[in-house]
Amino acid sequence: MNEIYLVNKFAKMLASARKNNKVIPRLPKRYIINDKLVEKIRINAENKLYWNAIGFKVGATNSKIINKLKAKKPFFSKIFKEKYFKNNSKLIIPKNLLGIELEVAFKIDKKIFQIKKINKKNLLENILGMMPIIELVGFRQNLKTIENVNYAAVDFGLNIAVINSEYTKFKKDFSLNSKTFLKNMKTNKKYTGHTNKVLGSPLNVLLWLFKELKKKNIRLNKNIIVATGTTTPIVPVKKGDRFTGNIKSLGNVHVNF
């Protein structure tokens, strides 16, 4: 079957499911095992949303999730303004939600896209701020288990929603070596984590992402948000739950369902 036809067909299905909060049958495994095809489908599906991209989300950076997904490297997708919510928002639980995550997010100066070769020094110079965020994660496909990491990667940007909080101004000597937790305020259950769970540091995730963006010639003409991956386990959610996320060095973020 023609590749262009396949990419367009699956991308249209995924984008429509995202817009209408629906779930589609999982995509055929014979196509999912093709890394390049999966990336083309995801990008095409994101474009078919006609939403406003405000940044990027990186996945498969937490060591436990890397092992669970059997991921060889991280993957990324876009964050959209249409699914970017204020702190303490009350949200309807979307279909096929896996749960929520607590992450470190950065605000990055658009000047970074003008740099020819990204390194840690010029990366740090272009960080404007950072904050804790809560992210909703799931699938547009009807999946019970993940047989291949590409099932997560193919519709990655079509699932996530982000709850933001206040920025902390970034300083080069700022320590991101912090304990973290998500607490269900309804049940008082706490899920603990640490910023070093994501590739040793969220800054390592940033460096990986911008090298990948440079390699693939991907850019946005604005200051952007980057979410670096979960510092906690993926926490299940039920109607009526209220959560507080805390990153010791950055503060709190809240969401209600």
Side-chain angles (χ1 to χ4, degrees), residues 84-91 131-134 162-167 243-245 251-256:
Y84 190 68
F85 300 98
K86 292 181 179 179
N87 198 0
N88 213 30
S89 288
K90 189 172 185 178
L91 304 181
M131 63 178 171
I133 63 166
I134 290 174
V162 173
I163 299 90
N164 64 22
S165 59
E166 289 187 14
Y167 281 105
F243 284 92
T244 291
N252 300 311
V253 58
H254 312 275
V255 65
N256 309 297

Side-chain angles (χ1 to χ4, degrees), residues 20-34:
N20 297 296
N21 191 28
K22 292 184 177 180
V23 176
I24 63 173
R26 69 176 186 172
L27 301 185
K29 189 175 181 180
R30 63 182 180 276
Y31 303 126
I32 288 297
I33 59 176
N34 185 326

Side-chain angles (χ1 to χ4, degrees), residues 175-212:
S175 173
L176 275 173
N177 192 34
S178 298
K179 291 181 179 180
T180 71
F181 69 77
L182 270 169
K183 184 177 181 181
N184 188 327
M185 306 304 288
K186 183 179 178 182
T187 64
N188 282 323
K189 188 168 184 180
K190 185 184 282 190
Y191 305 81
T192 59
H194 201 283
T195 56
N196 64 15
K197 297 294 183 182
V198 290
L199 299 188
S201 167
L203 291 172
N204 294 334
V205 180
L206 271 188
L207 188 60
W208 176 87
L209 173 67
F210 281 103
K211 285 184 176 181
E212 285 293 301

Side-chain angles (χ1 to χ4, degrees), residues 51-56 78-82 220 222-224:
W51 285 357
N52 298 294
I54 58 172
F56 300 93
K78 291 177 179 176
I79 295 173
F80 296 101
K81 184 179 179 181
E82 287 78 359
L220 295 179
K222 61 181 78 173
N223 296 343
I224 65 167

Side-chain angles (χ1 to χ4, degrees), residues 123-167:
L123 173 68
L124 294 177
E125 290 171 349
N126 283 279
I127 299 175
L128 301 174
M130 50 194 169
M131 63 178 171
I133 63 166
I134 290 174
E135 186 178 289
L136 282 67
V137 293
F139 295 105
R140 288 297 114 193
Q141 302 164 79
N142 187 14
L143 295 170
K144 301 298 181 185
T145 58
I146 301 174
E147 299 174 14
N148 187 296
V149 66
N150 283 347
Y151 275 110
V154 72
D155 67 359
F156 193 55
L158 305 173
N159 303 289
I160 58 173
V162 173
I163 299 90
N164 64 22
S165 59
E166 289 187 14
Y167 281 105

